[in-house]
Amino acid sequence: MIGLSLLVFAALFPQKKIEVVNTGRVGIWRRILSGFIDCLVVVTISIPVLAFLVLLTEQQATQEFAWRFIRDFTRNTDGPVFIGAGVVNLLSFFIYFYCFTRFQKATLGQLVMGYSIFPNTEHEKAPRYFVRTLALFVTMVTCVISIPISWFVTRIQTSGGKTYWWDRVGHTSAKKVHF
């Protein structure tokens, strides 16, 4: 119930009008902390829901519902159930970042860290929110996998100028704001 409540709050809570502050670019540490906060939000929302669905699957096999696993062995169906839950969790991350960026709202992490994502006015091209979210998602996943890949990705992010590569391919920019 807490996860669903937080999901409704994050999606429907009206945000104040945003006032852009032109004081330079939003640095990588501010964005990493924002991403960490957003990851905590998504996990808080999705894990309880997915755990409940896994428990319902267990109930299908045992014909009785329990709020925990009572068995100490595995079934052939455990792998696909947990892999499916993992895929749904990754999709929830992607949808969270895409929807907030697409509708030009700041995520909860961005609200805390004081910035938001806007279409880049330097380009005459329309913003590509799906491409931006996909590039950001690839960067987040590779940074978790290994420190050398993280170092390399951080170095190439600003090789084409003062914007990070996911903002360049998505025709967006991050700007500091006051709410």
Side-chain angles (χ1 to χ4, degrees):
M1 295 306 282
I2 293 171
L4 291 175
S5 301
L6 189 55
L7 174 65
V8 170
F9 173 77
L12 300 178
F13 188 76
Q15 293 184 6
K16 289 176 148 182
K17 294 292 181 184
I18 297 174
E19 178 184 328
V20 177
V21 179
N22 293 323
T23 59
R25 75 181 193 147
V26 178
I28 190 71
W29 291 110
R30 183 178 291 225
R31 295 178 93 164
I32 287 173
L33 287 173
S34 168
F36 181 71
I37 292 168
D38 288 331
C39 287
L40 287 175
V41 168
V42 172
V43 166
T44 302
I45 292 170
S46 66
I47 293 298
V49 174
L50 291 174
F52 183 70
L53 294 176
V54 168
L55 289 174
L56 285 177
T57 305
E58 179 70 10
Q59 187 244 347
Q60 291 287 331
T62 62
Q63 302 304 319
E64 65 181 69
F65 183 80
W67 285 103
R68 60 184 174 90
F69 284 100
I70 300 172
R71 63 185 164 94
D72 58 353
F73 58 91
T74 61
R75 290 195 179 93
N76 292 337
T77 58
D78 287 350
V81 166
F82 284 105
I83 289 172
V87 168
V88 169
N89 195 27
L90 288 175
L91 283 173
S92 65
F93 273 100
F94 189 85
I95 290 168
Y96 175 83
F97 286 109
Y98 173 76
C99 286
F100 275 98
T101 305
R102 173 71 178 92
F103 298 112
Q104 297 177 1
K105 287 186 167 186
T107 64
L108 296 179
Q110 292 170 356
L111 286 172
V112 170
M113 298 309 295
Y115 76 94
S116 189
I117 305 298
F118 297 97
N120 194 344
T121 56
E122 296 173 8
H123 296 288
E124 292 188 14
K125 299 176 183 176
R128 300 184 305 184
Y129 298 112
F130 184 83
V131 173
R132 180 202 183 275
T133 305
L134 187 61
L136 176 64
F137 196 75
V138 167
T139 302
M140 286 173 54
V141 170
T142 57
C143 287
V144 171
I145 293 173
S146 121
I147 300 292
I149 292 174
S150 172
W151 179 84
F152 178 73
V153 168
T154 304
R155 293 292 171 235
I156 65 169
Q157 287 170 351
T158 56
S159 63
K162 295 286 186 184
T163 59
Y164 297 104
W165 78 281
W166 56 83
D167 283 330
R168 274 198 313 274
V169 298
H171 308 297
T172 59
S173 63
K175 296 180 183 173
K176 294 179 184 176
V177 295
H178 287 298
F179 296 97

